[in-house]
Each structure stands twice: as structure tokens, then as C-alpha cells.
Amino acid sequence: MTAHEDEEQGEVFFDESDIIDEIDVDEEDLPDAEDDIVEDSDDSIHIFTGHTGELYAVACSPTDPVLVATGGGDDKGFLWKIGHADWASELQGHTDSVSSLAFSHDGQLLASGGHTDSVSSLAFSHDGQLLASGGFDGLVKVWDTSGNLKSTLEGPGGGIEQWIRWHPKGHLILAGSEDCTVWMWNADNGSCLNVFSGHGASVTCGDFTPDGKTICTGSEDATLRIWNPRSGESIHVVRGLTCLSISSDSTFAVTGSKDGSVHVVNITTGKVASSWASQTSSTEGDPESIECVSFAPKFPWAVSGGMDRNLTIWDLQNSSPRFICNHEEGVTCLAWLGASKFLATGCCDGRICIWNCLSGECVETFKGHEHAIQSLSVSSNLEFLVSVSMDGTARVFEISNFH
């Protein structure tokens, strides 16, 4: 029978003369039909899909446990509510990426940056009345919690970087720019209070100390600068960092660097109190950068996460690592779950891991995102963890079991 005849008849039959060899196969070795398609489950309880591009920033309100702000590369910011799929308010006017957000800490205003440019940063004030958003268009905007624009803060000659902060005791906003400067405004009247100059490259991280008396900033020039907020004077300069966090007593800053090292700096003296080298061995190639650092809320620890796929929990009293917690991909961000022993890490593979930092164990892995996690935020009632991703979605996960 010819091949053409086979096609016309539609069915082909074999007889025993066609058998070349026989092989015994155990039925347990055969795959099940449902094994052919393997997909990660989605552990989220709410998905916000209002954005049309990558997401960079998320902030949960410090007073309303279901109110969330997100910003991304679609030049948009949104306010939305967990469990209220029909409620969302677009922060209109951004023309470049919204890369960072922060609420005030006490119920009705909001500031945003990147407003004719992508919105790059958002922040709520300490009374929950203000949200600040900073964007790559060099603007910071102030909104109420219904999404109404209250004011626009101007000045920087470059985009607002991926951080924006509120003063711990008032409506003052601090933001760093791509033009190497740091700006401080009065959010109530829109006036510029000071400009901090001295960095030699984009200012990529910064914050007020919790007592409000000092400012710490970090730059792509690999320096930490410590400033007097009133005079604008640079008090100390410390070399080498990519990210920073300040202790609750305003005494120390912990910094991460591109070479994988971590340093603890005395803010008053500007001296390095402790240094830890990269935990990547020389046989593994060049050290990977540290992407996020933080002090533990109520334990004598610091933590760092980076592209070496590790979360390292550091014992500050002994200047040594307590645990090195391995991930499948690089660690991009982290968030403490309140003042507990639990810490969340966001990763390049789109997964979120919950770690018990007393034991060094991963106690939960949340799945759902398809691409890298960019930022994490915890709701004020400690019930929800909100993540934003390069996949263009914000997802909400329940964390009530991790208090």
C-alpha cells in the first residue's frame, strides 16, 4: 500500500510482521494525562488588573486596612480596595512611570511623582491623609484618598527615583532625583524647604531617621551621605552601597552594595561599625549585588537579600550570619510582617517566600505572579500582603497566620 493510499483510507493497521522488538513497561512509570500540563497555582485572594504595563510600586494605607496604591510603567497610579473589585480611582496626569509610593500615617491626602512622565514613587503621610507619588517626569503630586489632586511639587531636573518618604512628625516630603539631588517640600503649601546637593549620580534610596533629625541617602555613585535637614549640610560620606535601612532608634544605617557586602554605619559618627563580605564563594563567580536590607523590628538582627538568591539573617551582637536562606532565583525586595519573627521576600521568579527568622525556615511560598516581584507592602491590620510584579498585576495574599 502506498503512502498516498494510506492517507486516503485514513487508518493504518499493523500486523505481527511489523513488530521489531517488545519492551516491558511498568504502568506506574507511565505519565497521567493530567501531568502533561503543569501550572503554578495562584494563592492570591484578590488581583488588581487596572494597569496596562509593568508595576513598580505599592503602598498600603497605614489607617485603612483595605486601601492600596499602586504605580507602574503605564504612567498611571491607582487607588483601589482589597475585596472591592468595583472600586478604583485613577491618579490622572502622569506621563512617565510611577515608581514609588508612600502614604501619610493618619486618613485624607496623597502625593505622587512622575505625572506627565511615568509615576515612579508613591507615599502616604504618617496620618494616612496624604499619598505621595513620584514619577520619572521629575514631579511629585499630592492627592487625597479619593484620588483628587491637591498639589504638584516641582524642582528636580531629572526623574524622581524609586523612593519617596514622609517626615515622621509632619507633612514634609523627601525625594531623590536622577539629577543627583535630594529635595524636601512642605506638602501642605507646596514650598521647597531644602535641596541637598553632593551626590555624583542618581539618588536611588533615602529616608529620614525615625526621630526626624537626620537624613540618609544613597546613590549610584556608591556613597551613603548623612545630612542635616535644616542646613542641607552633608555631615558624613560613607563609600559603597545600593540600598539602605535605618534602625528604629535613629542610631545606625544598614547598607547593601553591588559587591555583595553589607555594612552597618553609625549615623552620628559616620563610622562603619560592622562589615560582612559577600556570602557567595569565590568558586561561584563574581559577587552578586545586594538589592534590599532591613533591621528587624524587635530582634537584634539585620537582613539582606540579593541576586545571589540568598536571604541572610545577620546577628548584630555577634557580627555573623544566623541563617542563609536559599531561593530558586534572586531576591528583589522584602517586608517584615509587622513586629513579628516573620519576613516576606519577593523574587525574580514571581514567588513570595515567608520565612521564620528564628528558625531560618521557609514556612510558606505564595504563587500567582508570572514575572519578577518589584515591591511588597503589608496592610495596617497585618491581614494582607500586597505584591506588584513585572507581569502587570497586583496580588493580595492572606498572612493572618503569620503574626
Side-chain angles (χ1 to χ4, degrees):
M1 183 182 294
T2 66
H4 179 68
E5 291 172 334
D6 286 349
E7 291 177 4
E8 286 184 343
Q9 298 207 10
E11 295 183 357
V12 179
F13 298 94
F14 295 94
D15 57 31
E16 290 190 4
S17 63
D18 295 315
I19 298 174
I20 299 175
D21 196 6
E22 294 184 7
I23 301 174
D24 292 329
V25 177
D26 191 330
E27 289 187 4
E28 293 183 358
D29 295 333
L30 294 175
D32 294 328
E34 56 266 27
D35 291 341
D36 292 343
I37 301 175
V38 179
E39 294 182 355
D40 270 353
S41 59
D42 188 347
D43 301 313
S44 62
I45 62 168
H46 184 110
I47 305 173
F48 181 72
T49 58
H51 290 275
T52 58
E54 300 171 347
L55 296 194
Y56 303 139
V58 58
C60 290
S61 166
T63 56
D64 185 340
V66 298
L67 184 61
V68 180
T70 51
D74 57 0
D75 308 346
K76 294 179 180 179
F78 278 97
L79 282 168
W80 50 277
K81 294 184 177 181
I82 299 169
H84 298 262
D86 57 346
W87 191 95
S89 179
E90 182 179 345
L91 308 179
Q92 298 181 357
H94 311 300
T95 61
D96 207 344
S97 300
V98 182
S99 66
S100 80
L101 301 162
F103 277 99
S104 65
H105 290 213
D106 177 293
Q108 264 133 35
L109 261 177
L110 189 151
S112 93
H115 312 302
T116 52
D117 238 346
S118 306
V119 181
S120 61
S121 56
L122 295 172
F124 276 100
S125 68
H126 286 209
D127 54 10
Q129 294 181 346
L130 299 169
L131 173 70
S133 71
F136 287 163
D137 62 356
L139 300 178
V140 171
K141 290 179 182 284
V142 179
W143 319 76
D144 65 22
T145 51
S146 295
N148 299 309
L149 179 64
K150 295 299 182 180
S151 64
T152 298
L153 310 179
E154 302 179 352
I160 301 299
E161 270 291 352
Q162 295 185 0
W163 65 277
I164 195 167
R165 297 290 186 270
W166 290 89
H167 191 278
K169 299 179 180 179
H171 286 176
L172 306 182
I173 293 175
L174 187 72
S177 172
E178 293 176 319
D179 69 0
C180 312
T181 61
V182 179
W183 291 68
M184 184 170 67
W185 295 272
N186 182 320
D188 292 328
N189 60 27
S191 63
C192 176
L193 300 178
N194 223 328
V195 180
F196 306 90
S197 301
H199 281 296
S202 184
V203 186
T204 55
C205 53
D207 206 347
F208 293 101
T209 53
D211 61 13
K213 297 179 180 179
T214 308
I215 291 170
C216 298
T217 59
S219 166
E220 288 183 352
D221 65 8
T223 65
L224 164 70
R225 285 184 177 266
I226 302 170
W227 309 85
N228 180 321
R230 292 185 179 274
S231 67
E233 174 191 3
S234 179
I235 305 169
H236 302 293
V237 181
V238 183
R239 304 293 173 183
L241 89 160
T242 55
C243 49
L244 68 86
S245 179
I246 299 173
S247 63
S248 59
D249 62 2
S250 304
T251 304
F252 294 100
V254 58
T255 67
S257 64
K258 289 184 177 180
D259 66 5
S261 61
V262 177
H263 309 278
V264 176
V265 178
N266 185 307
I267 292 174
T268 303
T269 65
K271 301 295 184 182
V272 176
S274 300
S275 289
W276 304 301
S278 169
Q279 297 303 293
T280 304
S281 69
S282 57
T283 59
E284 298 177 57
D286 294 333
E288 302 278 5
S289 68
I290 299 296
E291 297 296 314
C292 44
V293 292
S294 181
F295 286 102
K298 69 172 186 177
F299 297 98
W301 310 332
V303 294
S304 61
M307 290 298 101
D308 62 356
R309 306 182 182 186
N310 290 331
L311 165 72
T312 303
I313 304 169
W314 302 95
D315 186 324
L316 296 174
Q317 296 174 331
N318 297 318
S319 293
S320 61
R322 284 174 50 83
F323 299 106
I324 298 176
C325 307
N326 304 120
H327 299 69
E328 293 186 8
E329 296 293 341
V331 178
T332 58
C333 52
L334 54 82
W336 287 98
L337 307 189
S340 72
K341 62 186 177 182
F342 295 107
L343 177 77
T345 53
C347 304
C348 290
D349 59 5
R351 298 188 180 191
I352 299 166
C353 299
I354 307 296
W355 299 89
N356 180 335
C357 292
L358 276 175
S359 65
E361 296 176 321
C362 179
V363 294
E364 184 68 82
T365 300
F366 291 129
K367 303 172 184 177
H369 284 294
E370 297 177 356
H371 297 293
I373 306 296
Q374 292 287 85
S375 184
L376 298 169
S377 187
V378 178
S379 65
S380 60
N381 63 0
L382 306 181
E383 296 291 317
F384 308 112
L385 176 68
V386 187
S387 57
V388 294
S389 166
M390 300 290 279
D391 65 11
T393 68
R395 278 175 155 81
V396 181
F397 302 91
E398 283 191 300
I399 55 170
S400 55
N401 293 333
F402 307 108
H403 287 175

